[in-house]
Amino acid sequence: NMPYLFDCKTCDDDVFRLSRFEDNQKLSFDKFYKTGNKNCFIAVKHKEKIYLIAYETLAFLGKLPILNEFLFENVSWEG
């Protein structure tokens, strides 16, 4: 058995703000991750589709000053 941790968000426009990932959620994800559980994701619903963002990605982007407020802006969600 493998544990997974998800937090679900909705995005009504084309901007997802890192500020929507709250401190209590960050602490929970950090603890889960540091105990050896690597399957941590934010599930973002955007225009009736679900996108998974790995916690490692959020943690890395959150350390970059320019990206503290916005994670996605003017980026195609369809990749």
Side-chain angles (χ1 to χ4, degrees), residues 6-60:
F6 292 94
D7 187 66
C8 301
K9 303 286 186 191
T10 57
C11 185
D12 295 326
D13 54 22
D14 291 333
V15 177
F16 180 80
R17 290 167 178 78
L18 283 176
S19 60
R20 300 233 2 246
F21 194 52
E22 299 173 18
D23 287 339
N24 65 322
Q25 295 164 326
K26 291 175 190 174
L27 292 171
S28 295
F29 272 64
D30 282 342
K31 186 172 184 175
F32 188 82
Y33 191 83
K34 288 176 182 176
T35 57
N37 301 299
K38 306 299 182 195
N39 299 312
C40 309
F41 299 93
I42 299 295
V44 179
K45 180 181 177 186
H46 179 262
K47 296 184 180 177
E48 302 305 317
K49 292 185 180 180
I50 307 294
Y51 299 88
L52 292 179
I53 305 169
Y55 176 64
E56 291 172 317
T57 302
L58 283 178
F60 173 75

